[in-house]
Amino acid sequence: MRAAVAVLCALVCASATAEELPPAELPPDADVAPVELDDEGYETVIQADRAPAVSASEHHIGPRVLETTPRRTTEDLLRRAPGLLVVQHGNEGKGHQLFLRGFDAAHGADVEVTVDGLPVNEWSNVHGNGYIDLAFVPPEAVLSIDVTEAPLRVGQGPFATAGTLALHLGVPESQRGVRVAYEAGSTNRHRVSVVAAPRDADEGTFFVAEGLWDAGFGANRTTARGAALGRVRVLDDPDAGALDVLASVMSARFGLPGAVRVDDVEAGRIDLLGAYLDDTGGASARAVLALVHRWAGARDLVDTRAWVQLRELDLLESYTGLLDDPVHGDRRHQQESAVTGGARLRWTRRLHPTLDLTVGADWLTTRLAQRERHVDADHRPLSTTRDLGLVQTAAALLLGARWEPLEWLALDGGLRADLFHFDATDHAEGRAGDDTVAAVSPRVTATFLPHVDWAVHAGWGRGLRPPEGRAVTHVDAGSADRELDRYRGGEPQVTVSDTVEVGVTWRWDLYLEMSLAAFATFIERESIFDHVSGVNLEVNPTRRLGGDLSIHAMPAPWLDLRGTLTVVDARFTGSGAPIPGAPTLLGTVEAMVRHSFGASGDLRAGLHVMALGERPLAHGATAAPLAIGDLLVGYRWEWLDASVSVDNLFASDWREGEYHFASHWDRDAPRSALPVLHAVAGPPIGVRGSVGVRF
Amino acid sequence: MKHLFLRFVPILALTACDGGGEAGRVSVPVAVDGSGIGESTSELGWTVTLTAARVAIADLELTVEGEAHASLLRTVGDWLVGTAWAHPGHQAGGEVTGELPGDFVLDFVGGAGAVLGEATALEGAYHGANFAFRRATAADGLAAGDPLLGHTAWLEGTATKGDVTVPFTAALDAPDGTRLVGAELEVTIGGGGAPTLRLALLTTDPEEGDSLFQKVDFGAAAPGTALDIRPGDSLHNVLQRTLVTHDHWRVTAEED
C-alpha cells in the first residue's frame, strides 16, 4: 500500500502543472524515505506541495508572502511576482496593465492568468484581447500564486507568450474559521469582508465575500464593488474521486479619470491627481460556476474541470479629449456581454517509474456581443465604430511527458496543438465571416541535478496568442475612397513567441535560495495593442534578451528577505529601436516578518519596495524611473485581528502609468496632433486600517 | 547591458524621481515646390500647360511608419468618424509625429518657393504626409473677386491636341472634410539634419505617368471658346477626384 501511494505521489507530483492542481490536493511525495518506526508505530510522510520546477524562472508565492502583502485588490498580490509590473491606468475596477519580461502585455495579451485552473483572459474582449479582471476573486481567497515566466510547460495555454500566473484558491489552516473584518482607509475607503472556512475542512473549502466603497485618491476615482467566491467539496470518495464546486459572483462600478497631459500638470492647468472629465467610468459584472473533479488510481491521475461564465463589461472613456471631434469630444463607449462555457481534461499515467505521460484536451466557446460607439458629452451615440456578434471556439490537444532517465537528469516536454474558430457578424458593416486558425507549440526542458542543492535548467518553448474575433470581418484596405475607420490588420493570425532559457537554482539549507535565469524571446509577427485607437497594430519582428535574479534569505524562522532583479533589452530586430513601454530594469526588495508570541498573539509585517528604471515610450519619449514602498503591520490575538497598511510609504508623487500620444483638451488652445507625455497618477501616501474578529 | 545596471544604482536612492522626458523636437521649414508643374499629356491626347495652379489646404501632418508592418495599411487613431477620406496613399499607415497646423494657399506657379511656415516634428524617419483640402476664404488674404475664393483649387492654362488649343479655367471644390493621406515623403528628421520640406503638386504622376487631366476631355468646349470647369460639371468631378489623390502630390526634403 505504501508503495502504491509512493508511486502515486511521484506520478502526481511529476505530472501536475503548477496552475492545475492546488497544493492541498496532491497526495504525498513518492520519494518518501521510510522512517524507522518508533515504539508507537508512527511514521513520517513528506508531502510535496507542487510539481518540480522545470526552469529557474518559476516561482511559488505562498501564504507566508501573501499574508504580509499590503493589498487593496487581488492584482496587488500579483505584484509579488518577480519581474512583473502591474499598472492601473484607469481606476480600481478596471483591468490592470501588465508588463513582463520586455512585454507590454496591455490588459493580458501576453500573460496567461488562471484561477484554480480556469482561464481568466478574455479572448476578443472589446477593450483589449486577453483582458484580465480579477475583481471576482477577493484577495482573502488567494492561497498561493505560481509564476512561470516563459511558455515552457505544455499545459500553459493561449496568452502565455511571456508567461503564466496561476492563482490557487483556498484559506490556509492558520486563518480558518469565520472571520469578519472592516477596513477603513484615508481615501474614505470602507470595506467589509467575510471569510468562512470550516476548521475541519481542507484548505480548498471556503467562502469569501466583500463589499467595498472607496472615494478614491483623486478625481473621478470612486469605486464600489461586491464579490463573493466559494468553493466546497461535495464528493470525496476513494473510488469516485473528489468533486468540488466553485462559484463566484461580482459586480462593480468605478470612475475612470483617464490620463493627464504632463505639460498641463507642469503648467499648473491640472493636478496630477485630477481628471479632465468627470463623466467617464465603467461597470463590470461576472458570474462563474465551475466543477472540478479529480480521480487518482494506482497509476493514473485524472483532472477534469468544466465551467460556465456570464460576463458584462461597460467602459466609457476618452483618451484624446477633443482631438478627433472638436465639437462633441472623443468619448468612446465600449460594451460587451458574453457567455462562456469551457472544459479541461488532464490525464496523467505512470508508464514506468521514470516516465509519466500526460494527455490533455481543452475546449472553450464564447458567445459575445460587443459594441463600441462614439458618444457625445451626454453619452448619446454619434456613430457606431463596432457592433459585433461573435461565436468563437478554442480547442487544444496536448501531449506531454516527464522522463527521468538518470538520477540527476529530468526531461519535460510536450506538444500542444491549438485551434481557434470564429463566426463573426459585423452589424455595423453588414458583413459576416468565419475563419479558423491553428498553431502547434512544442515545449521542452531539461533539468540537471549535479548536487542536491543545485539545479541547472535549459528549455525552449513556444507561446501563442490567438487573434481577436473582429479580425475576421476586417475591411479590405486600399480601395478608393473607402472610409478608413474600421479595424484593419490583415488576415487573422496566431501570434507566436519562441523563448529559450537557461538558468540555475541554488539552495543552502533552509537559509538561502537563489535563482538566476537568462532568456531570449523572439516574435516574428509581433502585434501591439494601441489603447488610443483600440486596434492591434501589426509591427515588425522583435527580440527580447534578459535575465532574472531572485534571492530569498531566511536568516531566522520569523524573517524572510527577498530581492529580485529583472533586466531586459527589448527591441525590434530590424531597426534596433526599443519596444515602447517595456521596462528595462525592475527590482524589488522585501522584508517579511512572522512571529508568534504564543498565547500573546502573532505578529506579521511586510515591507515591499519596488524600483523601476527609465522606460522607453513611443516616438523616443521616456518614462521616469521610480521607487515605491508599501508596508503592512498586523497582529492577531485569539479572536482579534488588526492591521495597518501604508501605501506609498515614501509619499512619492509618482506616475503609475506613462504614455505618449496626442490629445486636445483645451478648446481655447490650438489643436496639435503631436504626441506628448501623458501620465496616470499612482496613489499618494495612504493609510488603511483593518479590524477583524474570528469565531 | 552594462549601462542598464549603472542606471539602476541611483534609483534605489530616489523615491520620487524626476526624469523621463519628451521626444526631441525639431523645427522644419515647409515651402511650396513648383517643380511639379509642367506639361502633361493625358490618355485622351491633350497636352496641358498650366499658367496658374493654386490650392487651399490646411493642417499639414507628417507621419512616421515606425515599426508598422510594411506590407499592411493602417492608421493609429483611424477610428475617426464622419470623415471623407481620399484614396489612401501608399505611404499611408503612419503615426502623426510632425505637423504644420494652419490654413495655407499653395501657389505652384506664381508662388513657388514661398515658405508656408515651420513644422514641428519629433525626431524620426518620416514616410508620408497628410493634409486637408478646404475652401479658400477672404481670411487667406485673397482680393475680392479672386477666382479661388470659395473654392479648393483654381487651375488655369491651355490644352492642345493637334491643331486645337483650348484655353481653360477650373474652379474645383473638394467635399467637406476631404483629406489627402499618404503623400510620398522620405526623410529623416533630427540627428543633426535640418532639411526644408517642399510640397509639390505633380501634373504628371511619376509612378504611372498619368496626367492630372487624364480623363478630362477638353473637346467638350465649343470650337474657339474657352472651357470653364465649375462645380456641378461632369468634368469638375473627374478633375477634382484626381486632384485630391496622393498620386499627384509629393513632399521632398532639401538639406540646407
Side-chain angles (χ1 to χ4, degrees), chain A residues 298-312:
Chain A
R299 292 193 297 161
D300 299 276
L301 179 67
V302 181
D303 185 295
T304 310
R305 294 155 201 252
W307 65 91
V308 292
Q309 175 179 277
L310 305 177
R311 176 81 168 117
E312 301 268 343

Side-chain angles (χ1 to χ4, degrees), chain B residues 17-37:
Chain B
C17 307
D18 291 327
E22 282 286 1
R25 295 187 172 202
V26 182
S27 290
V28 181
V30 180
V32 177
D33 182 358
S35 66
I37 305 298

Side-chain angles (χ1 to χ4, degrees), chain A residues 425-436:
Chain A
T425 303
D426 187 337
H427 302 292
E429 285 286 299
R431 67 174 68 224
D434 64 272
D435 204 352
T436 303

Side-chain angles (χ1 to χ4, degrees), chain A residues 105 156-157 235 411 429 501:
Chain A
Q156 291 175 266
L235 175 69
L411 302 173
E429 285 286 299
E501 181 178 304

Side-chain angles (χ1 to χ4, degrees), chain A residues 582-604:
Chain A
T584 55
L585 283 173
L586 177 61
T588 62
V589 176
E590 302 171 333
M592 291 157 282
V593 170
R594 293 189 67 203
H595 186 68
S596 175
F597 296 99
S600 299
D602 302 312
L603 171 71
R604 67 184 187 280

Side-chain angles (χ1 to χ4, degrees), chain A residues 43 74 142 198 278 358 439 470 521 529:
Chain A
E43 65 181 26
T74 291
V142 180
D278 60 8
T358 298
R470 60 177 171 161
T521 299
F529 180 70

